[in-house]
Amino acid sequence: MNKLMKTGLYLTLLLLVLMNPLMAHAERIIKVGLYDFKPLIFKNDKGEPSGLFIDVLNHVAGKKGWQLTYVYGTWKETYQALLDGQLDLVPCIGFTEARKKQVDFSSDQIFLDWGVIYGRPGSGIENFHDLKNKRVAVLSGSVYTEGLKQTLLQFDIASNYVEMQSYRDIFRAIEQKEVDAGISTNLTGLQFEKEFGASRTPIIFTPVKLAYAVKKERNIDLLEALDREVAVLKSDKKSLYYDRYDYWITSRHGGSIPRYVQWSIAVLLVSGLFLIFWNIVLKRQVKTKTAHLELEITKRKHKEEDLLDKNAVLESFTYTVSHDLKSPLITIQSYAGMIEQDMAEGNQARAQSDLKRIMAAASKMTHLLDDLLRLSRVGKLMSTPAQVDMNRLVRNVMSQLADSLELQQIEVVVQSELPAVHGDQRRIEEVLQNLVENAIKYKRDQARPSIEIGTREELGKHVYFVQDNGIGIDERYHQTIFGLFNKLDAKSEGTGIGLALVKRIIEVHGGLVWVESEGAGKGSRFCFMLGQNL
């Protein structure tokens, strides 16, 4: 008896082991996305999943022992839930290359649909150009929405898109005159056009294959099973697939299309595509010629504006030069008259003093003219732009100014590994030297004068700076100090042309120069950046 019981126990255990895979297979629960795209997929009046895709899926699930749990939502919510991994499978998704990067599709398409434009009766919308500046209702996240936008973009047609969550909302917006037109699929349009009194236009676009989809590289076995079963169904004209296709599609929308109608549609499509292509070619030719003319007009306008700017600069330059050169001439003229009087009175000592003043005024005029000549040559005497090692350039400037820096006991700090620039090395060196000399000149009575040379990054560009702890500059002079002959201290050395020269060189390089200072006694930071940083 014990032996018999043991044998029975062993057989029971063996049976359980053999049945376990089948039980696991039968108990597989699959979460399926459900949204309204009647008659392919939708929730009916009883709250049940319905449609061509649902019937085919239920058929396959019955054969495979799958337990389907449907999760209802809008199209956008359903697709996002699939991407987030909250759903295992979504029926009736339009195939696009962009979506192929996010999801995997079944190989066998269940249905082919395309986009259609609807409007109100008498809207006058007959082609894509009639949608220009019109308010067009589109379905949020739909492949047909993206298809329409891309098509209109090719024709340079701008429309105002109004995104909505369902096709019913789109047709209601058309009926209530909230929009001028709206997109629909072919099937959905046949369902809603009578209910909302909408008029189908001749505009069709974006044919799309509709299939089942899973999240990328997830639940691939579901797609493989669906592909095998759908292929079997399609091979038999009396199968459930064709039966449900006739029920949901053919019988509800006027039966099959006569052969002559199909040929007519094909001819119209080919003719339409040819006209679209020819229109695009003509538009491109017109666009090219228009662009050429606009370029010529723009060039002329730029030349005129450049000429006006140069005239304004020349006017300002002439005024400034005449004013500043007049000062030493008046000095010469005055002391020349005084020398004549000194000679008449026999005052030799005073005559020599007056003569020295005349020589000083003449020397000042010579320096002014030399600096003006240097300024005028900037932009004309430029070397071929090349890569400039700023670290080496700074060392050159420091070597030239070593005596002045040592005499004034100025501490100089240079940032390491300054980035290179593209430009005229000699001119950029001239900029740096002028800025350092300016910092030396205006150190004033600082106990521990210092100069820092460095760089920082702003908006992806390198900004170079020369910073000192000298007298500082009041904010009201931040712009005027770059003017010709402008000096903060009239008694300081130089002609006041150094910063104007710096500004001119930087502008020739397509760059900007400015000063940063919190005010008198708080030091200054002169900054510049060039148009092309390496």
Side-chain angles (χ1 to χ4, degrees):
M1 183 69 178
N2 289 336
K3 188 175 180 181
L4 186 62
M5 288 179 67
K6 286 182 179 179
T7 303
L9 181 62
Y10 289 145
L11 289 172
T12 303
L13 289 173
L14 180 62
L15 185 62
L16 288 172
V17 170
L18 292 173
M19 290 182 65
N20 186 56
L22 296 174
M23 291 171 67
H25 183 70
E27 291 174 357
R28 182 173 183 181
I29 299 174
I30 300 170
K31 296 181 74 174
V32 182
L34 178 68
Y35 67 97
D36 289 326
F37 187 17
K38 196 174 181 179
L40 301 180
I41 176 174
F42 65 101
K43 185 167 68 171
N44 64 22
D45 295 338
K46 298 178 180 179
E48 301 168 341
S50 298
L52 176 61
F53 275 81
I54 300 301
D55 288 347
V56 173
L57 178 60
N58 287 339
H59 170 77
V60 176
K63 294 188 67 177
K64 298 296 179 182
W66 298 340
Q67 181 178 337
L68 304 181
T69 301
Y70 287 95
V71 180
Y72 181 72
T74 65
W75 152 246
K76 193 172 183 179
E77 292 169 346
T78 301
Y79 186 67
Q80 189 58 51
L82 179 64
L83 298 183
D84 293 339
Q86 297 171 9
L87 297 174
D88 300 312
L89 178 74
V90 174
C92 195
I93 291 187
F95 175 88
T96 68
E97 290 298 327
R99 286 180 182 168
K100 192 178 178 183
K101 297 175 182 178
Q102 300 175 313
V103 299
D104 289 313
F105 290 89
S106 57
S107 300
D108 237 324
Q109 71 181 50
I110 300 297
F111 193 78
L112 177 70
D113 207 354
W114 56 88
V116 182
I117 295 295
Y118 274 86
R120 286 184 296 279
S123 66
I125 297 174
E126 299 291 332
N127 55 59
F128 288 119
H129 290 284
D130 294 331
L131 297 176
K132 186 175 183 180
N133 297 328
K134 293 287 195 301
R135 287 173 56 82
V136 182
V138 295
L139 183 66
S140 180
S142 168
V143 62
Y144 300 105
T145 297
E146 186 61 29
L148 178 66
K149 288 181 179 180
Q150 291 298 323
T151 302
L152 295 187
L153 186 63
Q154 292 177 2
F155 288 96
D156 293 329
I157 298 171
S159 294
N160 300 315
Y161 301 107
V162 181
E163 289 200 357
M164 299 193 172
Q165 297 304 312
S166 71
Y167 286 114
R168 177 175 289 277
D169 292 338
I170 290 174
F171 277 90
R172 185 180 292 111
I174 295 172
E175 180 187 44
Q176 296 178 0
K177 300 182 180 181
E178 295 173 4
V179 294
D180 301 301
I183 69 167
S184 173
T185 69
N186 176 54
L187 277 180
T188 307
L190 293 172
Q191 174 190 346
F192 286 138
E193 59 185 19
K194 290 182 179 179
E195 180 182 347
F196 292 96
S199 175
R200 176 181 286 236
T201 74
I203 304 173
I204 59 175
F205 58 95
T206 314
V208 175
K209 296 178 181 178
L210 302 174
Y212 296 95
V214 296
K215 186 178 180 179
K216 197 72 177 175
E217 300 178 355
R218 293 268 297 272
N219 297 308
I220 300 298
D221 62 314
L222 296 180
L223 295 184
E224 292 173 347
L226 282 165
D227 283 334
R228 287 193 298 270
E229 294 299 328
V230 169
V232 172
L233 290 172
K234 282 190 170 183
S235 66
D236 181 6
K237 296 295 182 182
K238 296 181 180 180
S239 69
L240 173 133
Y241 171 77
Y242 290 103
D243 176 72
R244 304 318 292 164
Y245 190 98
D246 287 340
Y247 175 78
W248 289 114
I249 310 300
T250 307
S251 64
R252 292 173 177 244
H253 301 296
S256 60
I257 302 174
R259 179 65 63 180
Y260 74 90
V261 175
Q262 295 179 17
W263 276 107
S264 300
I265 292 174
V267 170
L268 286 172
L269 284 173
V270 172
S271 301
L273 288 172
F274 175 77
L275 289 173
I276 290 172
F277 173 76
W278 183 247
N279 186 51
I280 291 172
V281 171
L282 288 176
K283 285 193 70 177
R284 285 184 177 175
Q285 290 179 348
V286 171
K287 190 175 182 179
T288 301
K289 290 183 179 180
T290 303
H292 180 71
L293 289 172
E294 288 177 347
L295 182 62
E296 290 297 319
I297 292 170
T298 302
K299 283 181 178 179
R300 287 189 180 184
K301 284 184 177 179
H302 284 167
K303 286 180 180 179
E304 289 174 1
E305 289 172 359
D306 188 47
L307 186 60
L308 288 171
D309 289 342
K310 286 180 178 178
N311 283 338
V313 171
L314 183 61
E315 226 175 273
S316 174
F317 179 80
T318 304
Y319 172 80
T320 304
V321 169
S322 64
H323 178 272
D324 282 78
L325 286 180
K326 192 180 291 183
S327 176
L329 284 174
I330 291 172
T331 301
I332 291 171
Q333 186 179 21
S334 300
Y335 281 99
M338 292 175 70
I339 286 176
E340 186 179 5
Q341 184 178 346
D342 294 339
M343 295 299 291
E345 295 175 356
N347 192 337
Q348 191 73 16
R350 197 170 66 182
Q352 287 181 350
S353 175
D354 292 341
L355 186 58
K356 285 180 182 179
R357 293 179 183 273
I358 288 175
M359 291 175 67
S363 177
K364 181 181 178 181
M365 182 179 290
T366 301
H367 288 311
L368 284 171
L369 291 172
D370 287 343
D371 285 345
L372 286 172
L373 186 60
R374 286 172 61 203
L375 184 65
S376 67
R377 286 175 175 172
V378 175
K380 296 178 182 177
L381 299 179
M382 292 281 287
S383 302
T384 303
Q387 182 171 341
V388 178
D389 184 345
M390 289 297 287
N391 300 288
R392 185 176 178 182
L393 186 143
V394 170
R395 287 195 296 270
N396 291 343
V397 172
M398 292 299 98
S399 176
Q400 294 172 32
L401 300 176
D403 292 341
S404 297
L405 292 168
E406 185 177 354
L407 182 64
Q408 303 280 355
Q409 296 182 338
I410 298 175
E411 179 188 6
V412 179
V413 178
V414 180
Q415 284 185 14
S416 60
E417 298 183 4
L418 296 172
V421 297
H422 191 78
D424 182 338
Q425 178 170 329
R426 187 167 61 88
R427 293 298 185 187
I428 296 171
E429 187 172 320
E430 197 172 353
V431 166
L432 193 63
Q433 184 169 337
N434 268 289
L435 293 178
V436 174
E437 286 178 340
N438 202 64
I440 294 172
K441 187 188 304 179
Y442 291 106
K443 74 174 185 64
R444 280 299 185 262
D445 300 324
Q446 279 289 340
R448 298 181 62 184
S450 67
I451 295 174
E452 181 184 355
I453 300 172
T455 183
R456 66 182 190 235
E457 191 166 316
E458 287 185 12
L459 301 177
K461 287 192 174 289
H462 300 304
V463 175
Y464 299 86
F465 62 82
V466 175
Q467 182 172 329
D468 63 65
N469 61 348
I471 64 171
I473 301 171
D474 192 283
E475 187 178 356
R476 54 186 168 161
Y477 300 122
H478 284 189
Q479 298 296 327
T480 58
I481 56 170
F482 292 101
L484 196 59
F485 303 129
N486 285 344
K487 296 166 66 177
L488 287 177
D489 185 355
K491 296 179 181 179
S492 63
E493 297 177 0
T495 59
I497 208 170
L499 290 179
L501 187 64
V502 167
K503 184 173 184 287
R504 177 63 178 150
I505 292 172
I506 296 300
E507 286 177 345
V508 168
H509 280 81
L512 295 170
V513 62
W514 66 95
V515 65
E516 298 171 353
S517 177
E518 295 181 5
K522 296 186 179 180
S524 305
R525 184 189 298 115
F526 283 86
C527 308
F528 68 90
M529 63 180 178
L530 305 184
Q532 297 181 14
N533 288 311
L534 295 176

